[in-house]
């Protein structure tokens, strides 16, 4: 299949068994002013299988040779191709070359005609935003210290934005955000957090204290030559980014969290007592004994991820309860053996999560929960001043664990706090409401990075 969509209006996602292409009459731009063409070509190159420029092919539209060259490169016949154009001359030329063609006068009408021809529906406002697969991104590794290596994926250029996932996840949980933030002009780095996926680390529990995790992240930034970064976290990643903002504010340009609020520390109450006082946190107490939760979660990885990942609006499926876990003897006790896959998870996505836990299991990820006392003592030592950098808190109305009410009072801890709320959304915010999350993050990031900071001269 051969598709060219004019005027940069991308109505179909790359993939679905289709090949997509853009043909363009363009001069070589060797001027020293601006990078508009470079950015456009980079954007097109990431969206289409072929971008054929007249200045590099030796032909120009509407010459038949331009179409022939494109078809040969794509490996398709004219009868397998359809051409879209806003120009009647181009449409006639494509038809003369044996291709079906569509004159684009009304975009919606043209996309409907294209859908009739291809059998693939056009992207609409309700469609999921483009995601990236593991093959679409650049992978890298940074050695933090002997035995500790951080895996990350990277896309885009511009101010660095570092994405930190939660439990039991992977960098892949940001698959809908990575392309969107990169296209918006940011250098996006999504980590496999310590002990998850491709990030290796020892099994020692103390390796996963918040103090150690923050220090590891600082080392990662140092070795990547990133002096200051904007952090975005979810779940445990949210805990980490708030701690980074409090203990290492000089390295944080701005900080955002999905679902996870900044919890104020109470030096007078032991942390285990705090957990016991909140019934929906009982699962965290169940996670404390090494080996117990591991055995349950590793028994059937497909079932585990089918249970964990579900959308808030789904009906007719069993939902895991985080209360009374110790009393009933396990997190999944009482649930059926066969669990339907959620509509927020494709089969390919499910298998990728499974692959990330097949070798390493859950021991290291669960160790994030096993530093309750150490994290509390460290939190009690932190500075008492308010956070001054721009901050974003996104709550989800249907999250059954990180309730929106937990974020009450954050304005007392953060001077420059922006709030957003997605009511019809559960815990897996990036996957369940990716378009809304992208819109919120991009708007806030662009506003944040347009703000001019005031540099204070040091006193001698």
């Amino acid at each position: 299949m051969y598709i060219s969509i004019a005027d940069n209006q991308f109505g179909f996602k790359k993939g679905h068994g289709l090949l997509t292409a853009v043909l363009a009459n363009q001069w070589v731009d060797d001027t020293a002013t601006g990078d508009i063409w470079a950015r456009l070509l980079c954007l097109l190159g990431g969206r289409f299988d072929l971008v054929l420029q007249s200045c590099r092919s030796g032909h120009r539209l509407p010459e038949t040779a331009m179409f022939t060259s494109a078809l040969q490169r794509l490996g398709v016949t004219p009868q397998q191709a359809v051409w879209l154009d806003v120009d009647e001359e181009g449409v006639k030329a494509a038809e003369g070359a044996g291709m079906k063609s569509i004159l684009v006068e009304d975009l919606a009408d043209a996309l409907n005609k294209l859908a009739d021809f291809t059998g693939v529906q056009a992207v609409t406002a309700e469609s999921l935003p483009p995601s990236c697969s593991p093959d679409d991104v650049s992978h890298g590794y940074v050695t933090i210290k002997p035995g500790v290596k951080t895996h990350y994926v990277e896309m885009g250029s511009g101010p660095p934005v570092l994405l930190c996932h939660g439990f039991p996840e992977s960098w892949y949980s940001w698959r809908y955000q990575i392309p969107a933030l990169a296209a918006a002009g940011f250098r996006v780095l999504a980590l496999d957090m310590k002990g998850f996926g491709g990030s290796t680390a020892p099994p020692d529990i103390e390796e996963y204290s918040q103090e150690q995790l923050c220090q590891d992240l600082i080392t990662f930034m140092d070795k990547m030559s990133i002096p200051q970064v904007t952090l975005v976290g979810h779940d445990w990643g949210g805990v980490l980014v708030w701690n980074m903002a409090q203990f290492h504010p000089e390295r944080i340009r701005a900080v955002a969290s999905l679902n996870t609020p900044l919890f104020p520390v109470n030096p007078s109450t032991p942390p285990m007592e705090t957990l016991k006082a909140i019934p929906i946190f009982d699962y965290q107490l169940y996670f404390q004994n090494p080996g117990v939760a591991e055995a349950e979660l590793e028994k059937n990885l497909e079932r585990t991820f089918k249970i964990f990942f579900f959308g808030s609006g789904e009906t007719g499926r069993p939902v895991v309860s985080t209360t009374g876990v110790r009393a009933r003897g396990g997190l999944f006790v009482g649930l059926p053996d066969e669990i339907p896959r959620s509509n927020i998870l494709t089969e390919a996505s499910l298998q990728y999560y499974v692959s990330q836990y097949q070798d390493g299991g859950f021991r290291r990820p669960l160790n994030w929960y096993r530093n309750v006392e150490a994290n509390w003592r460290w939190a009690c030592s932190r500075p008492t001043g308010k956070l001054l950098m721009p901050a974003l808190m996104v709550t989800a109305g249907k999250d059954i664990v990180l309730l929106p009410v937990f974020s009450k009072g954050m304005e007392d801890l953060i001077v420059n706090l922006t709030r957003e709320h997605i009511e019809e959304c559960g815990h897996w915010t990036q996957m369940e409401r990716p378009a809304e999350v992208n819109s919120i993050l991009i708007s806030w990031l662009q506003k944040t990075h347009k703000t001019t900071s005031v540099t204070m001269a040091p006193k001698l």
Side-chain angles (χ1 to χ4, degrees), residues 239 241-249 252 262-263 382-383 385 387 389 413:
V239 175
V241 302
W242 289 128
N243 280 323
M244 285 288 292
Q246 291 180 105
F247 282 92
H248 302 279
I252 310 305
L262 173 58
F263 288 103
R382 68 190 174 199
L387 293 182
M389 76 281 289
L413 306 172

Side-chain angles (χ1 to χ4, degrees), residues 48-71:
F48 292 85
D49 296 288
L50 172 67
V51 178
L52 186 60
Q53 303 165 264
S54 61
C55 60
R56 307 196 187 280
S57 68
H59 309 288
R60 58 178 287 109
L61 293 171
E63 295 173 4
T64 301
M66 188 75 162
F67 295 112
T68 302
S69 177
L71 293 170

Side-chain angles (χ1 to χ4, degrees), residues 242 246 261-265 382 384-387 391 393 395 403-419:
W242 289 128
Q246 291 180 105
L262 173 58
F263 288 103
V265 63
R382 68 190 174 199
T384 56
K386 296 183 178 182
L387 293 182
M393 179 67 222
T395 48
L403 309 179
V405 69
F406 290 160
S407 71
K408 184 178 180 180
M410 283 180 60
E411 285 79 3
D412 298 332
L413 306 172
I414 304 170
V415 172
N416 188 5
L417 178 66
T418 299
R419 280 188 178 272

Side-chain angles (χ1 to χ4, degrees), residues 33-45:
T33 57
D35 60 354
I36 295 176
W37 281 114
R39 288 183 176 275
L40 177 58
L41 289 170
C42 182
L43 184 65
L44 293 174

